[in-house]
Each structure stands twice: as structure tokens, then as C-alpha cells.
Amino acid sequence: MKRLLIIGLICIVGLCVVLFTIWYNTQPSWPVDREIEIYKLKDLPITNKKVVEIIARKGRDLAPTYKSAVCTEFVIKVIDRVKPLTKMEMNDIRIITKAKLDSLIDADSPIIKGVQTALVRTGKGTEITESNDVLSGDFVQFWNVFKGKAYGHCGVVLDIEPNKTLTLFSSHPLTDGFGTQKYLWPEKIYFVRLK
């Protein structure tokens, strides 16, 4: 009996290690309960303020469930309320491609930059190359590759600790639609500010 308990405990610990490794290398995130700190809004560019205010008022309406609005659809809905998007811009945000994502990610292809590519290409956004310059209301697309499989996500920045963590408004399975999630810093990350 004691031997079975030890074997069972070893199996449970092993499973926990495997699950933690997968979580850590794919989309290491957890939901957080963060409110928008209104006093911080006054220092934001006017378009960023509009983005954050739309999310504060309509976030749950834009993505009531993850099935009804995945992360890219949430981002499209937010941007479209500030500056209407073309079909091409929406498709760029959705990252529609038949190519292998991991190869595109390795090459830093414009395709995998999603929202950044969509807005910069049409002059509606400004690429942000320094993470220290990122503000609440900026948009992000990021990626991790684990065992040859690409894991990506996009959203709107709430808060950032460069090279450590990123807190986003987005639609995610953990929050079953709209919510606020904190992520460990990903392998590849692309920021853009709506003009």
C-alpha cells in the first residue's frame, strides 16, 4: 500500500512538472483583477485615452465569451470604434496565412506582427521599438514557440514591466472572453500605438 502511495505521488509530481513546463513555455499567464487607474489616463496620448475608455465602458460587450470573440477579434472591435478598419487591416490583425508560423516568427516576418503590421502599413499606427516607451492603450502581438508549435496572443496594454511582465486587456480562454491577464515576457513581442 505504501509503495502505491509513493508511486502515485511521483506520478502527480511528474504531471505537475509537465503541466508547468507547458504553461511556462506557451502562454504563461494568469487572470488579474486590475482596475484602470484613472489618474494615469491624464498623461496618455488622446487616442490611447479613447482606447482605454472604450475598454472600460464596453470591454465585456466586445468579447462576452472567448468563443464569440478571440483575442484578434477583440482588438479589431476596439480599434474599429476609434478608427474604422479596412478588410485588409482586419485580415492582417487576424494573421491569416498558410505558411508555418514558427518559420515566420524566426524570420520576424511582417505577417506575424499582426496589429502592428496592420496599423503601420496603412499609416494608422506608429511602431514602438523600445518597451520602455509603451503606454496603457498601446496594442501588442506576441509569440512563444515551444516544441515547434507557435503560441501567440494580442491585446491592449494596461501595464508593463519591460522584460518581466505584461498586463493586458484582451479576450482569453482563462477569462472566457474579456478580462485582464498578466503574462511573463514572451520570446517575440511587437507593439504599436494607434495615431
Side-chain angles (χ1 to χ4, degrees):
M1 182 69 167
K2 190 174 184 180
R3 185 175 177 178
L4 285 175
L5 285 173
I6 291 170
I7 291 171
L9 185 59
I10 290 170
C11 289
I12 290 170
V13 169
L15 179 61
C16 289
V17 168
V18 167
L19 292 174
F20 177 80
T21 301
I22 292 168
W23 171 81
Y24 184 80
N25 288 292
T26 56
Q27 278 190 2
S29 64
W30 55 98
V32 293
D33 189 17
R34 289 277 310 273
E35 293 296 317
I36 300 166
E37 297 169 9
I38 301 300
Y39 72 92
K40 288 185 176 180
L41 291 179
K42 67 181 176 80
D43 297 328
L44 293 178
I46 199 154
T47 305
N48 287 50
K49 282 184 199 176
K50 286 181 186 176
V51 166
V52 173
E53 288 167 353
I54 287 166
I55 292 168
R57 284 193 327 270
K58 298 283 188 185
R60 182 54 68 184
D61 295 337
L62 298 176
T65 65
Y66 186 70
K67 186 176 181 180
S68 67
V70 298
C71 62
T72 53
E73 297 311 308
F74 172 74
V75 164
I76 287 168
K77 289 176 180 183
V78 171
I79 295 170
D80 209 40
R81 280 176 169 58
V82 180
K83 291 196 182 207
L85 292 166
T86 66
K87 191 170 186 98
M88 185 176 123
E89 290 165 332
M90 290 181 194
N91 285 340
D92 283 345
I93 294 169
R94 291 179 180 124
I95 308 176
I96 297 172
T97 182
K98 292 182 181 181
K100 289 188 67 170
L101 286 175
D102 57 332
S103 299
L104 296 173
I105 292 165
D106 286 342
D108 275 329
S109 167
I111 294 169
I112 55 92
K113 296 178 183 180
V115 65
Q116 185 189 78
T117 295
L119 297 178
V120 171
R121 182 187 331 227
T122 58
K124 289 181 181 173
T126 304
E127 178 182 359
I128 304 169
T129 56
E130 297 297 324
S131 55
N132 288 326
D133 295 334
V134 174
L135 300 171
S136 295
D138 288 335
F139 294 86
V140 63
Q141 171 68 53
F142 64 84
W143 296 94
N144 288 311
V145 177
F146 180 61
K147 295 192 176 192
K149 187 168 181 340
Y151 297 87
H153 192 62
C154 66
V156 181
V157 175
L158 169 59
D159 197 17
I160 184 172
E161 291 181 74
N163 300 309
K164 292 181 183 175
T165 62
L166 182 66
T167 305
L168 302 181
F169 298 114
S170 70
S171 181
H172 195 278
L174 286 173
T175 50
D176 189 25
F178 174 74
T180 308
Q181 307 90 30
K182 188 173 233 178
Y183 296 83
L184 295 179
W185 201 257
E187 292 174 34
K188 299 276 186 158
I189 191 162
Y190 308 98
F191 296 103
V192 64
R193 181 168 300 145
L194 191 59
K195 289 182 180 176

